[in-house]
Amino acid sequence: DTGVSQDPRHKITKRGQNVTFRCDPISEHNRLYWYRQTLGQGPEFLTYFQNEAQLEKSRLLSDRFSAERPKGSFSTLEIQRTEQGDSAMYLCASSQGGAGNSPLHFGNGTRLTVT
Amino acid sequence: AQSVTQPDIHITVSEGASLELRCNYSYGATPYLFWYVQSPGQGLQLLLKYFSGDTLVQGIKGFEAEFKRSQSSFNLRKPSVHWSDAAEYFCAVGAPSGNTGKLIFGQGTTLQVKP
C-alpha cells in the first residue's frame, strides 16, 4: 500500500492561467474524491468518482473546474482561468466503496497559489 | 443545514496533561462521525470513527471519542498528550448510508503542546 499520491505538491501560477493536478489513489480503491481546503478551514467536498463515473459535484465546483478519471484509476483536476480565490490546498482521497466501513485515505495535497 | 462546529480554534496543553477537543454537529439523523488529524503540509489521517454500537470508540495513537446523541457531540479525548500530538484536528460527519466519502468537516482545532 503506497498510499494516495498527488502531484505536484506545490503550484504557483499567475491569474488567468490553467493548471492541472493529478491524483493516484490506492490501487484497489474504486472511489476517488477531491476536496479543497483553504487556510484555517476544514476540507470542503468538491466531487467524487466511482470507477470512471463522476457521480456527484459540489456547487463549489464552478464551470472553470473539471475533473476526470478516464480509466477508473488516476484522476486529474483542471482549473481554467485561475483566480486568486482558487488559492487553496487541493486534497485527493480514495476509498473502497460499499458500506459504511470504508474510511477515506487522503493524499498530502497540492497547494495552489495564484498570484 | 448540516454542519459541524469545533468551538475551540486553538488549544494549548502541557505534555502529559489530558486533552479534550469538542465537536458538535447538526444533522437530520445520526450521522457517521470521524476525527482526522493533519500535520503541517500533510494530508489527513483518520484517528477514529463511529458508525453505530458502543458510543465510546477507540482510535489510533491512544485517542478515544464518545458519541452523545442527546448533545449531538462527538468529543475527542486523550489521557496523556505527547509532544508529537501537536497538529490540527478535524471532526467530520458523513451520511449514515450510501456514500460515506462525502464528509462535512469542522473548521479544525489546532493543538499546541508545551514541554
Side-chain angles (χ1 to χ4, degrees):
Chain A
D1 179 358
T2 57
V4 177
S5 176
Q6 292 189 244
D7 183 70
R9 289 296 308 274
H10 304 274
K11 178 71 177 178
I12 300 174
T13 191
K14 293 185 176 180
R15 186 163 50 95
Q17 298 295 303
N18 299 345
V19 294
T20 300
F21 310 141
R22 176 180 171 123
C23 171
D24 287 273
I26 293 172
S27 57
E28 60 267 28
H29 286 179
N30 63 350
R31 291 190 176 187
L32 186 148
Y33 304 83
W34 285 99
Y35 281 78
R36 180 173 68 189
Q37 184 178 21
T38 53
L39 207 58
Q41 301 295 318
E44 296 173 295
F45 170 81
L46 292 179
T47 187
Y48 97 96
F49 293 83
Q50 179 156 313
N51 300 313
E52 66 275 9
Q54 187 173 18
L55 296 187
E56 188 169 351
K57 292 168 59 174
S58 163
R59 285 174 293 177
L60 293 174
L61 216 62
S62 76
D63 292 344
R64 297 184 297 104
F65 288 70
S66 63
E68 294 183 342
R69 195 184 183 197
K71 297 182 180 178
S73 56
F74 73 92
S75 175
T76 58
L77 178 68
E78 181 183 15
I79 309 174
Q80 296 182 324
R81 305 180 303 281
T82 52
E83 302 173 356
Q84 287 189 320
D86 298 330
S87 295
M89 174 81 87
Y90 290 84
L91 294 166
C92 177
S94 69
S95 71
Q96 183 57 36
N101 294 329
S102 181
L104 301 187
H105 295 257
F106 282 87
N108 287 335
T110 294
R111 181 166 295 284
L112 173 66
T113 302
V114 181
T115 62
Chain B
Q2 299 163 351
S3 65
V4 176
T5 301
Q6 293 180 245
D8 305 305
I9 295 174
H10 192 107
I11 282 184
T12 300
V13 300
S14 297
E15 190 168 15
S18 63
L19 171 70
E20 181 169 31
L21 301 182
R22 296 183 291 164
C23 173
N24 294 94
Y25 65 88
S26 173
Y27 208 87
T30 299
Y32 291 154
L33 296 155
F34 306 83
W35 275 99
Y36 283 86
V37 61
Q38 185 178 35
S39 298
Q42 303 295 312
L44 283 75
Q45 181 184 21
L46 179 68
L47 286 176
L48 47 78
K49 61 186 185 290
Y50 172 79
F51 290 157
S52 64
D54 193 346
T55 57
L56 185 64
V57 294
Q58 302 297 319
I60 62 171
K61 305 184 179 186
F63 285 93
E64 66 178 25
E66 185 173 12
F67 167 57
K68 293 186 177 180
R69 185 191 308 272
S70 61
Q71 298 177 18
S72 297
S73 69
F74 188 56
N75 294 348
L76 182 71
R77 301 193 293 248
K78 186 169 185 178
S80 177
V81 169
H82 187 263
W83 64 266
S84 61
D85 293 324
E88 191 154 21
Y89 291 80
F90 292 96
C91 180
V93 300
S97 62
N99 175 15
T100 60
K102 181 183 176 183
L103 302 181
I104 300 170
F105 285 83
Q107 278 189 297
T109 297
T110 300
L111 173 65
Q112 184 178 358
V113 181
K114 292 190 301 184

